[in-house]
Amino acid sequence: MVDASPQTPTPLPSPAAPSVAQPPPPPPPKGFIAGLPRRPAVRVTSEYDSDTQLFLHKASCKLFEGFAKLKLSFQNNREGEISYPQIGFLTKYLSVLYDLEDRNALVKGSFDVGQRLQFKSTHDVKAQQGEAAVIASLGDPSYKLELVSTTPAEGLPRATFRFPHGEIMLEEKQEEEVKRALSINVILKGQLMNGVCTAQYKDNDLNLRYRYKDEEMTFIPTISLPSNAVSFAFKRRFSPDDKLSYSYNLDSNYWNTVYKHTVGKDLKFKAGYDSEVRLGWASLWVGDEDGKAKTAPMKMKVQFMVQVPQDDIRSSMLMFRVKKSAFALCCCFCCHEACEYCLDIFCCQC
């Protein structure tokens, strides 16, 4: 007897999916031993000022994958005597700076409550004094109210209201041994005739300042009331690399001028004269003057300055300042290669 029921077809085997080649794992960094945690690199900066004849040394390293930073700084003179040794532990919300010489700690802390409220505090352990501040954003981030109180509290807290066109500050000041008075400081800014006009009222003095600036010129007249002291500053840009500044005080007849020439961002020449101290000077910056040493060529900044007193040319002085930044975690000198993270010689992790 023949079975006429329908037969379920046997599925054909599907073709094997083509295998996708996986990229090889990235090679470990130079000087890295598999299975061992990578030790943090230490950044060392040394600076010498020939005017004070002091060396300033700073060392820092990041800990816990950048969550915290450990810093050490101290000064020493030409005889090797160390002064102002300090060690600091810094995080986003808490920082502790300890003075080894004074055996004192300065503690700073801050935290946010939402996006509109921030708390800050500073405490000097040895002096048992500090400040506590509350900063609140009022709807628009450009409007802020700040209340600052000393600890232990002495009088009313200082209140500052900031807005796009200035700020108003109220604080209590000690005028006599017993009497305390309320002081008000006001700063207002606004556009006026293609420039910015600023009025500052502080301690019964009113300072009016106007600043006009275009692509080639800046003009800044200033008057103080009730003293009626008038001064002005003038800046002229001759080219992107050349600029001349001049200021004059009509009340004292003192004036000073500065000429600046730049070559790129790593070479700057300045020369000037100050009539108040009767001194002419010239300086040369190698490396970005306002930047950090680690971003300058060879991680170093150098300044040379010549000062020539008008009344005694023989007492002219040549001063220089050197700031060197380097990464130093030199547990050995076997690889003699540049670290691929900091590009510095002898920064190996082996």
Side-chain angles (χ1 to χ4, degrees):
M1 184 175 181
V2 180
D3 188 4
S5 60
Q7 300 292 329
T8 303
T10 303
L12 297 176
S14 59
S19 60
V20 179
Q22 298 294 331
K30 298 178 181 180
F32 181 81
I33 300 178
L36 294 179
R38 187 175 186 271
R39 287 173 290 180
V42 178
R43 176 177 290 115
V44 178
T45 303
S46 296
E47 183 175 350
Y48 176 73
D49 191 338
S50 65
D51 188 15
T52 59
Q53 296 187 355
L54 289 176
F55 292 88
L56 175 61
H57 307 281
K58 298 179 182 180
S60 64
C61 70
K62 294 182 178 180
L63 305 174
F64 312 117
E65 297 182 354
F67 176 78
K69 180 184 290 188
L70 187 65
K71 299 181 68 175
L72 172 67
S73 65
F74 63 92
Q75 294 181 357
N76 70 279
N77 54 22
R78 299 177 63 179
E79 287 73 26
E81 298 175 350
I82 296 177
S83 59
Y84 301 107
Q86 294 181 342
I87 185 171
F89 181 79
L90 312 176
T91 66
K92 182 179 180 180
Y93 303 104
L94 177 66
S95 64
V96 180
L97 184 63
Y98 184 76
D99 192 323
L100 299 173
E101 192 174 48
D102 198 24
R103 296 185 179 181
N104 185 28
L106 183 65
V107 183
K108 296 183 179 181
S110 66
F111 63 92
D112 300 333
V113 179
Q115 297 181 351
R116 297 186 177 181
L117 198 61
Q118 184 181 29
F119 292 86
K120 292 183 177 182
S121 65
T122 304
H123 183 70
D124 190 312
V125 176
K126 193 172 185 178
Q128 293 296 310
Q129 294 179 352
E131 285 187 349
V134 181
I135 304 173
S137 298
L138 307 178
D140 191 334
S142 59
Y143 293 86
K144 292 185 178 182
L145 178 63
E146 177 180 340
L147 298 176
V148 181
S149 177
T150 59
T151 54
E154 297 180 359
L156 299 175
R158 183 176 73 245
T160 305
F161 176 61
R162 297 184 175 91
F163 50 96
H165 298 290
E167 67 177 38
I168 301 175
M169 183 176 66
L170 299 174
E171 64 177 335
E172 224 178 14
K173 288 186 176 181
Q174 189 83 29
E175 292 189 348
E176 298 177 0
E177 294 183 359
V178 181
K179 183 180 178 181
R180 298 180 67 90
L182 190 64
S183 173
I184 179 171
N185 300 328
V186 182
I187 299 177
L188 298 176
K189 297 180 180 180
Q191 294 286 336
L192 179 65
M193 297 174 57
N194 298 325
V196 178
C197 184
T198 303
Q200 182 176 3
Y201 177 81
K202 183 178 181 180
D203 298 333
N204 297 325
D205 290 333
L206 178 62
N207 183 273
L208 300 176
R209 179 175 180 265
Y210 179 73
R211 185 174 187 267
Y212 171 82
K213 182 179 180 180
D214 58 21
E215 295 181 356
E216 298 181 351
M217 184 187 69
T218 302
F219 181 65
I220 308 174
T222 304
I223 181 172
S224 297
L225 302 174
S227 62
N228 294 327
V230 180
S231 64
F232 70 88
F234 176 80
K235 298 180 181 180
R236 178 72 165 86
R237 183 181 294 275
F238 301 99
S239 70
D241 300 327
D242 297 274
K243 184 169 64 174
L244 178 67
S245 303
Y246 176 81
S247 63
Y248 182 74
N249 192 320
L250 278 72
D251 185 48
S252 61
N253 292 329
Y254 289 141
W255 61 276
N256 68 76
T257 183
V258 177
Y259 169 76
K260 180 172 68 174
H261 176 74
T262 59
V263 180
K265 65 177 183 178
D266 296 319
L267 187 62
K268 182 181 296 184
F269 171 77
K270 290 183 178 181
Y273 176 80
D274 190 334
S275 68
E276 183 174 2
V277 293
R278 301 176 63 85
L279 179 70
W281 58 272
S283 69
L284 177 67
W285 268 103
V286 180
D288 190 359
E289 180 180 4
D290 300 322
K292 298 182 178 180
K294 66 178 182 179
T295 61
M298 300 181 65
K299 300 184 179 67
M300 183 170 62
K301 293 168 55 177
V302 183
Q303 181 193 23
F304 298 94
M305 174 175 282
V306 179
Q307 292 185 353
V308 183
Q310 182 177 345
D311 300 327
D312 188 4
I313 299 179
R314 293 184 178 181
S315 62
S316 301
M317 297 178 60
L318 172 62
M319 299 179 294
F320 65 92
R321 183 169 55 173
V322 180
K323 186 174 184 181
K324 171 65 177 174
S325 178
F327 292 82
L329 189 57
C330 309
C331 52
C332 68
F333 298 90
C334 59
C335 57
H336 292 264
E337 294 181 355
C339 173
E340 62 182 4
Y341 291 104
C342 64
L343 302 178
D344 194 27
I345 302 296
F346 306 136
C347 182
C348 58
Q349 301 269 347
C350 51

